Structure formats: structure tokens, C-alpha cells
């Protein structure tokens, strides 16, 4: 079980690293006007989204599910775990929203400002804080 937990944490770290970085790319992309830079951002965003964020998100979720199988009666009755699952669902929603913005940028149809993306970039930090506090403190 400790190996699963360790790989779960590694995958989660990679997932959040990608989710921290992609919106930061959106900040710079939103202010970009020259074609070479725009094309560079398209490539960077696509590679990050499909090459790191998706695999890490899937690995994190799969490993988390495997961890639950070690003691399903405990986890499925723990309120803190239900709250954590809700937060993980919000992380997935955030990731899919990032995918929507990535597509809008690739079609040159982005309507959001760099200021919007600066605020949007803070969402995964808040979700990570909530998830870590729920898992470590188990407040409920």
C-alpha cells in the first residue's frame, strides 16, 4: 500500500504542477500578438495538457481508487473522504475548463484577458490546500 500511496503523491504532484503552469501560459498567451509567439504557446499548451496533465490526472485518480480498495468500508463512510472526492471532482472540472481555454486559444477565439487568467490560476492552489487539509487533518 505504501508504494501505491507514494506513486499517488508523485502523480498528484505532476498533475498540479501542470495545472499551475498551464493557466500561467494562458496569462502570457492572452497578451501575445506576434504569430511566432502565438504558435509557440499553442505547442507548449498542447504538449503540457496532453503530455503531462492528462496522464498525471488519470494516474492520480486510478491510484487513489486503488488505495480505496485497501479499506473501502473506512473510506466510503468517512466524511472527510467524501469532501476530498468533491474537491478532486472540482480539479477535474478545472482541468476540462483549461482544455476549453486551450482550444479557444488554438482557434484564436480567446475572449478572456490576462488579468482573468491571473485570477483563474489561483483556483488549483485553493483546491490543493483543501485536499491536503482534508487528507492530513481529517476534520470531519
Amino acid at each position: 500500500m505504501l508504494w501505491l500511496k507514494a506513486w499517488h503523491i508523485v502523480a498528484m504532484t505532476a498533475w498540479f504542477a501542470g495545472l499551475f503552469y498551464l493557466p500561467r501560459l494562458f496569462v502570457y498567451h492572452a497578451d501575445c500578438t506576434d504569430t511566432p509567439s502565438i504558435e509557440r504557446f499553442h505547442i507548449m499548451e498542447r504538449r503540457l495538457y496532453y503530455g503531462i496533465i492528462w496522464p498525471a490526472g488519470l494516474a492520480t485518480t486510478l491510484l487513489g481508487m486503488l488505495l480505496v480498495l485497501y479499506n473501502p468500508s473506512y473510506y466510503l463512510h468517512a466524511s472527510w473522504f467524501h469532501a476530498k472526492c468533491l474537491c478532486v471532482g472540482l480539479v477535474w472540472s478545472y482541468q476540462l475548463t483549461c482544455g476549453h481555454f486551450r482550444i479557444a486559444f488554438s482557434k484564436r477565439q480567446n475572449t478572456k484577458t490576462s488579468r482573468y487568467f491571473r485570477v483563474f490560476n489561483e483556483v488549483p492552489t485553493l483546491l490543493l490546500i483543501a485536499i491536503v487539509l482534508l487528507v492530513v487533518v481529517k476534520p470531519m
Side-chain angles (χ1 to χ4, degrees):
M1 180 171 106
L2 290 178
W3 281 101
L4 277 178
K5 190 181 290 188
W7 285 112
H8 177 66
I9 292 168
V10 168
M12 181 273 309
T13 303
W15 192 19
F16 272 89
L19 292 175
F20 292 149
Y21 188 49
L22 184 60
R24 180 52 53 183
L25 290 176
F26 294 160
V27 168
Y28 303 128
H29 196 162
D31 286 337
C32 203
T33 56
D34 63 294
T35 301
S37 295
I38 290 170
E39 292 305 317
R40 187 177 323 110
F41 279 117
H42 289 172
I43 292 167
M44 291 170 67
E45 291 159 0
R46 186 185 76 247
R47 288 181 178 170
L48 179 60
Y49 189 69
Y50 291 112
I52 295 173
I53 294 173
W54 264 102
L58 291 171
T60 301
T61 305
L62 176 64
L63 292 165
M65 290 174 167
L66 290 173
L67 285 168
V68 170
L69 292 177
Y70 273 94
N71 194 355
S73 62
Y74 167 71
Y75 287 109
L76 298 178
H77 292 93
S79 298
W80 69 267
F81 181 72
H82 295 165
K84 178 197 174 189
C85 289
L86 173 66
C87 289
V88 171
L90 293 173
V91 174
W92 274 104
S93 295
Y94 183 84
Q95 176 179 322
L96 295 173
T97 303
C98 284
H100 167 77
F101 288 135
R102 194 199 66 76
I103 290 168
F105 273 115
S106 71
K107 293 180 178 179
R108 296 188 181 206
Q109 297 174 346
N110 173 55
T111 60
K112 306 293 184 190
T113 65
S114 62
R115 187 173 191 174
Y116 173 86
F117 288 114
R118 287 180 199 278
V119 174
F120 180 73
N121 191 42
E122 301 307 320
V123 173
T125 304
L126 299 174
L127 289 169
L128 179 62
I129 290 168
I131 290 169
V132 169
L133 290 177
L134 287 165
V135 170
V136 174
V137 179
K138 296 175 178 57
M140 301 175 188

